[in-house]
Amino acid sequence: MIQTPAIASSAVNGLPSTEEESIRIPGFIKPYGVLLALEEPQLEILQISHNTQEILGIPPEQLLNQPLEKLLGTRQASELKKSFGGDFNSINPLRISIKQSGKTLLFDGIIHRYDGVAILELLPTKSKSPSTFFNFYHSVKTATDRIQETTTTVELCEAAAQEFLNLTKFDRVMVYKFDPEGAGTVVAEAKGESVKDSYLGLYYPATDIPNEARQLFFLNKVRVIPDVNDPPVALVPAHHPKTHKPLDLSLANLRGVSPFHIEYLQNMGVVGSLVIALTKRNALWGLISCHHYSPKPVSYELQTACEFVGQVMSLELVSEEENDDLDYKIELNTAQSRLLESIAMAQTLREGLIQACPSLLELVSAQGCAICINGDITVMGATPHLDDVRDLVQWLEREVQDNMFFTDCLSSHYPVAEQFKDVASGLLVLTLSKIQKQYLLWFRPEVIQTVSWAGNPEDSYQVDETGVRKLCPRQSFELWKETVQLKSHPWRTVELEAAQEFRSALVGLILRQVDELTKMNLELARSNTELDAFAYISSHDLKEPLRGIHNYANFLMEDYRDVLDEAGVAKLQTLVRLTQRMENLINSLLHYSRLGRAELSRKPTDLNELVQQAIATLKMSQSRASVDFRLPRPLPTLECDRTQVTELFTNLISNAIKYNDNPEKWVEIGFIESKIGNKNAKIPYSPYPTFYVRDNGIGIPEQHQGKIFQIFRRLHAQDDYGGGSGAGLTIAKKIVEHHGGEIWVSSQPAEGSTFYFTLPEQEKA
Ligand code: BLA
């Protein structure tokens, strides 16, 4: 066995890396051929592998520094000289025969030039004549046909494994696919009858194939190791005499294999190995890895056939992975269309999203979702608890700047998430509007991924006697399971694209709706202004003729009292009373329309003082029975329009007294803290205090409660309960709304009424 060279340990993270010991310049070759470094243009032999005696029957010293003619004869040597001027790919392999001790030795001659040095490799062959195109075509036709017949990636990989098995006659052929981190999984496998165990589904860490080995696959798509137990063969001299450097064997078929990899294969029980690179769009997609459990030479011709089939498979991969993606994309698109349709039909964005619930989850294949609009959160499917989602959204608001954020391991960004890993190890967030706090969150559960690791990745490192951590192939390939905790299935590119597309469509839709809403609001504001102006002008203009009628009725009564009989006087008196009533109505209307036109003058106002003043005024004008005014606790100080809010309290308190035939009347004026909702009293959750005026009066029947705020709408005969214009509650409503608040009533006939209202300190957005 080859001695594992010690590696200096100066690499990043304190871990030694094989990359320092470049596998491009191993200093030795595999023993199944002879390698010569030649000086151009004379093709003098400057370096040669030490195995010439075994393969050619000539000791290396006899060939070193000699012209190539000495070995190949004048004709073959001059043909080679010409070949070095042409395109190597179309020339290789050259048929070369060497007569030695009465025997003719046949070789595939492979030439290339790398780093300015011309290299010839002589690979012994048994076939008398070079392979024809037809031979080659026949050897690959079945394989390429089968590969091209497939329609999905899975089918393609399975067919390829089987076809490579048929083509190479190795014991085991695996299709090995890399993940974005460079680790890989065996995605398809075909085996000869003697092989019992299966590597299908096994997962190998990225460290198993160093970066440099991956890079070399772009230069050389096929790697052969006929027998891992063959001793490597040194080059003489070790350094190139002109460059004084070790010879770069990046492109050489015979390049010696790193002893680490040899040991790796030996640990696996593999003797012969053949690896073919699979590329997709200039990236390494995976490998075909062939294992044989006894020595397995692979002719240059078969290597070329494998390379060709590998290329066909690589091309096929592009279209079939696109096909797989396309089918999935269509599914995601359908979900998106359903969602947008639902949103367009719904009153609100939230409603639209909720109604299309399964599509919302299907859009990105998530198990749970949270809709957050203006801080209000609705959850669907499997999600963390609402409070946890609320905290998470707050964290997102602080930490995430982009329109989209996603992770398959939320706890690595937000450690609290470990508590709800079962539902949210994966998170995808779309920010629709940061200002309006509009977020869509999708969750994926933890997949306790029982990854079938082929050996413990930690075993790749051993500590030597000096305490240095040393990279070495693992001793054991026993399957052991590593659970990848706190991770969800990763979000796929198509899913992320679908989320982005949905965001764009949604933002477009929302902008259109905002546009329409703005137009409607403008329209509404305009018609409200017109209405106020109309009410003002008409009531103003009506007052004059009304005063005329009033005055003339009085004149009639004064000047014609003697002419009129009693009935005539009574009618005139009614006329005067009616004009007075009408004037009251007009004054109320005028007042009402003025309220709509007046600017609010908000100032900090002590509501206690204000209410006491209202009560005092009312007490003066109410000569009737006493009323018990109750204020359970001091009212707050509020930014509001003092005059209007005084009128608001006066109207409500006066109604409370007026519509009350209880012998012991009381009126309670108070408020409820912000944020305490109460369904029974119809008090919604509100960020502002809710004020109330409660009485033990006659109450309002349920069926009338909707009408009481309408102007001049009276529920009783006009002179009952002290008369009045019937505009008090309408005015109260206007004042509350002017302040951006809401007013509503809760009442039981014969028990009393409570008028609730809010007075937000800022206008509604
Ligand atoms: C190379 N390791 C490789 C190659 C493969 C693997 C395919 C390239 C093939 C080749 O050069 O012939 C790994 N082979 C696999 C895997 C499977 C398989 C995963 O069949 C699965 C079925 N390897 C280690 C560790 C080290 C290491 C810990 O596991 C580091 C010390 C090194 N691997 C290593 C090196 C090479 C290699 C140095 C390059 C070999 C060379 O080209 O010289």
Side-chain angles (χ1 to χ4, degrees):
M1 198 203 281
I2 306 163
Q3 282 284 291
T4 307
I7 312 171
S9 73
S10 56
V12 203
N13 302 335
L15 292 175
S17 137
T18 46
E19 267 138 67
E20 288 176 26
E21 196 79 351
S22 176
I23 60 171
R24 294 166 179 262
I25 46 164
F28 50 84
I29 63 162
K30 286 171 279 192
Y32 63 83
V34 172
L35 185 140
L36 307 98
L38 306 167
E39 171 156 59
E40 294 180 276
Q42 295 311 318
L43 301 190
E44 187 187 320
I45 301 169
L46 293 187
Q47 273 180 297
I48 194 160
S49 58
H50 206 274
N51 56 350
T52 49
Q53 182 67 54
E54 291 85 343
I55 291 180
L56 305 170
I58 313 168
E61 312 77 66
Q62 282 186 22
L63 292 167
L64 211 53
N65 301 321
Q66 299 298 317
L68 193 59
E69 275 141 274
K70 180 148 189 234
L71 176 65
L72 301 188
T74 321
R75 191 184 50 82
Q76 289 193 118
S78 72
E79 248 175 57
L80 252 163
K81 266 184 208 162
K82 264 192 265 154
S83 301
F84 268 108
D87 169 18
F88 305 136
N89 277 331
S90 57
I91 293 163
N92 287 327
L94 296 142
R95 177 45 50 108
I96 287 175
S97 61
I98 296 174
K99 284 208 169 63
Q100 190 63 29
S101 320
K103 277 199 283 179
T104 303
L105 304 171
L106 292 176
F107 297 93
D108 279 326
I110 323 280
I111 58 169
H112 74 272
R113 192 183 291 108
Y114 197 79
D115 210 13
V117 181
I119 291 175
L120 167 66
E121 293 174 274
L122 297 173
L123 312 181
T125 175
K126 290 196 181 74
S127 68
K128 295 246 162 1
S129 55
S131 164
T132 64
F133 169 76
F134 291 106
N135 293 345
F136 179 80
Y137 180 70
H138 281 297
S139 68
V140 296
K141 184 168 177 2
T142 323
T144 52
D145 280 356
R146 263 299 285 125
I147 281 173
Q148 283 171 320
E149 273 162 24
T150 60
T151 53
T152 65
T153 317
V154 176
E155 263 176 44
L156 170 64
C157 292
E158 280 166 1
Q162 190 56 53
E163 288 310 318
F164 273 106
L165 190 82
N166 299 346
L167 192 64
T168 62
K169 312 275 187 301
F170 267 63
D171 288 332
R172 184 199 304 272
V173 174
M174 290 164 283
V175 180
Y176 184 73
K177 182 186 172 182
F178 293 119
D179 71 11
E181 277 78 42
T185 311
V186 178
V187 293
E189 181 184 44
K191 302 176 293 180
E193 272 174 19
S194 57
V195 181
K196 296 291 173 244
D197 58 342
S198 169
Y199 287 0
L200 192 64
L202 290 192
Y203 192 80
Y204 294 82
T207 43
D208 281 15
I209 311 175
N211 235 336
E212 201 178 23
R214 291 169 202 258
Q215 288 311 314
L216 279 184
F217 277 117
F218 291 101
L219 300 178
N220 223 333
K221 293 208 159 47
V222 180
R223 304 261 178 91
V224 182
I225 307 172
D227 186 343
V228 292
N229 300 314
D230 277 344
V233 175
L235 291 175
V236 279
H239 285 186
H240 192 278
K242 294 277 155 53
T243 63
H244 306 291
K245 286 192 301 191
L247 193 58
D248 192 321
L249 298 179
S250 294
L251 280 179
N253 189 284
L254 289 170
R255 177 177 63 81
V257 184
S258 155
F260 288 116
H261 186 46
I262 293 290
E263 196 181 333
Y264 183 93
L265 292 172
Q266 284 169 335
N267 289 340
M268 249 179 164
V270 173
V271 180
S273 154
L274 166 67
V275 178
I276 301 121
L278 298 172
T279 51
K280 190 184 151 192
R281 296 218 171 87
N282 297 327
L284 201 57
W285 180 93
L287 303 169
I288 300 282
S289 179
C290 312
H291 290 172
H292 207 67
Y293 295 98
S294 54
K296 185 78 175 159
V298 181
S299 70
Y300 189 77
E301 192 183 326
L302 184 56
Q303 288 182 38
T304 317
C306 287
E307 182 176 350
F308 181 76
V309 179
Q311 300 273 54
V312 172
M313 180 174 174
S314 293
L315 286 176
E316 203 64 17
L317 270 173
V318 176
S319 63
E320 292 189 11
E321 283 206 319
E322 267 170 16
N323 262 353
D324 295 349
D325 275 1
L326 208 67
D327 287 347
Y328 188 44
K329 228 181 174 141
I330 290 170
E331 272 176 43
L332 301 185
N333 270 344
T334 317
Q336 195 192 114
S337 313
R338 275 203 295 265
L339 267 174
L340 291 173
E341 209 174 293
S342 165
I343 292 164
M345 309 267 287
Q347 297 280 329
T348 63
L349 174 61
R350 187 191 303 275
E351 202 180 286
L353 288 167
I354 293 171
Q355 277 164 7
C357 170
S359 304
L360 191 57
L361 298 178
E362 282 159 19
L363 183 78
V364 290
S365 294
Q367 272 75 17
C369 174
I371 304 165
C372 175
I373 296 174
N374 286 329
D376 267 351
I377 297 169
T378 311
V379 290
M380 286 177 291
T383 68
H385 191 273
L386 197 59
D387 289 339
D388 292 328
V389 178
R390 193 165 287 131
D391 292 346
L392 174 63
V393 169
Q394 270 170 14
W395 175 80
L396 288 167
E397 276 171 347
R398 280 197 316 272
E399 302 295 327
V400 174
Q401 300 309 324
D402 297 335
N403 290 334
M404 187 163 87
F405 168 79
F406 64 92
T407 172
D408 59 5
C409 183
L410 180 58
S411 58
S412 68
H413 303 269
Y414 180 64
V416 186
E418 195 174 331
Q419 291 164 15
F420 43 81
K421 62 188 167 75
D422 292 353
V423 284
S425 285
L427 172 70
L428 166 58
V429 184
L430 283 185
T431 306
L432 303 178
S433 158
K434 239 181 174 333
I435 297 164
Q436 294 183 310
K437 298 191 177 188
Q438 294 189 343
Y439 301 95
L440 288 178
L441 288 77
W442 285 276
F443 304 104
R444 276 184 184 173
E446 179 185 40
V447 179
I448 300 283
Q449 295 175 40
T450 335
V451 172
S452 305
W453 282 93
N456 184 342
E458 284 301 312
D459 289 351
S460 303
Y461 305 100
Q462 285 181 354
V463 179
D464 71 8
E465 52 293 346
T466 62
V468 172
R469 285 240 279 175
K470 198 169 83 132
L471 201 56
C472 60
R474 295 185 301 253
Q475 301 303 306
S476 158
F477 280 86
E478 284 293 292
L479 177 144
W480 74 281
K481 293 188 175 169
E482 163 144 321
T483 45
V484 179
Q485 285 175 325
L486 300 171
K487 283 193 119 189
S488 73
H489 280 306
W491 302 95
R492 288 173 54 184
T493 312
V494 268
E495 292 158 349
L496 297 174
E497 281 170 0
Q500 278 289 24
E501 268 174 40
F502 178 59
R503 186 183 179 278
S504 310
L506 208 56
V507 169
L509 205 74
I510 293 170
L511 286 182
R512 262 205 309 284
Q513 281 178 349
V514 168
D515 242 21
E516 277 165 26
L517 218 64
T518 316
K519 252 194 253 159
M520 273 161 65
N521 275 343
L522 282 175
E523 187 64 23
L524 215 63
R526 195 180 56 80
S527 62
N528 271 342
T529 319
E530 277 177 10
L531 214 65
D532 282 340
F534 171 75
Y536 181 75
I537 292 163
S538 51
S539 47
H540 193 265
D541 290 356
L542 281 172
K543 274 180 93 163
E544 210 184 288
L546 188 64
R547 192 145 303 134
I549 297 169
H550 177 87
N551 291 343
Y552 275 90
N554 277 331
F555 293 156
L556 268 177
M557 274 202 295
E558 281 168 21
D559 300 349
Y560 295 87
R561 190 173 276 276
D562 304 339
V563 183
L564 290 170
D565 61 5
E566 235 173 76
V569 172
K571 283 193 174 109
L572 274 181
Q573 278 169 342
T574 307
L575 184 64
V576 171
R577 217 179 48 248
L578 283 174
T579 54
Q580 265 164 353
R581 218 173 94 65
M582 189 150 176
E583 189 170 11
N584 281 344
L585 285 175
I586 288 175
N587 281 340
S588 299
L589 196 61
L590 206 58
H591 180 53
Y592 179 78
S593 65
R594 272 202 196 111
L595 272 179
R597 291 145 61 88
E599 281 288 317
L600 278 190
S601 145
R602 283 184 187 267
K603 288 201 180 82
T605 308
D606 179 354
L607 292 184
N608 295 299
E609 205 183 286
L610 184 149
V611 167
Q612 290 304 346
Q613 192 191 319
I615 292 174
T617 320
L618 282 166
K619 270 186 177 158
M620 277 196 285
S621 63
Q622 307 275 328
S623 52
R624 291 193 284 159
S626 69
V627 181
D628 177 14
F629 293 99
R630 300 176 178 173
L631 274 99
R633 58 177 170 152
L635 299 169
T637 294
L638 205 71
E639 280 262 337
C640 63
D641 185 311
R642 189 185 174 93
T643 322
Q644 290 198 7
V645 174
T646 310
E647 185 171 0
L648 167 66
F649 275 102
T650 311
N651 283 0
L652 292 178
I653 298 168
S654 111
N655 273 358
I657 303 168
K658 222 195 279 178
Y659 299 101
N660 198 330
D661 45 15
N662 205 311
E664 285 174 15
K665 301 187 206 331
W666 56 255
V667 180
E668 183 180 316
I669 300 129
F671 72 102
I672 298 157
E673 291 294 358
S674 55
K675 297 189 181 175
I676 306 171
N678 180 341
K679 263 201 177 141
N680 292 338
K682 297 194 237 167
I683 300 172
Y685 169 89
S686 159
Y688 308 104
T690 302
F691 298 96
Y692 66 86
V693 175
R694 182 170 295 142
D695 62 52
N696 61 341
I698 58 169
I700 307 159
E702 178 96 44
Q703 72 268 29
H704 294 314
Q705 288 179 9
K707 299 178 197 153
I708 53 171
F709 294 106
Q710 292 174 8
I711 197 160
F712 304 141
R713 182 68 96 136
R714 308 183 54 91
L715 303 179
H716 306 280
Q718 92 188 19
D719 291 329
D720 288 357
Y721 300 105
S725 71
L729 282 180
T730 318
I731 286 171
K733 184 167 191 262
K734 188 135 188 177
I735 292 171
V736 168
E737 284 174 355
H738 216 171
H739 280 79
E742 280 175 88
I743 184 165
W744 66 100
V745 69
S746 163
S747 177
Q748 280 291 324
E751 280 181 21
S753 309
T754 309
F755 282 85
Y756 294 99
F757 58 93
T758 53
L759 293 171
E761 299 201 55
Q762 270 154 13
E763 306 297 313
K764 259 189 199 158

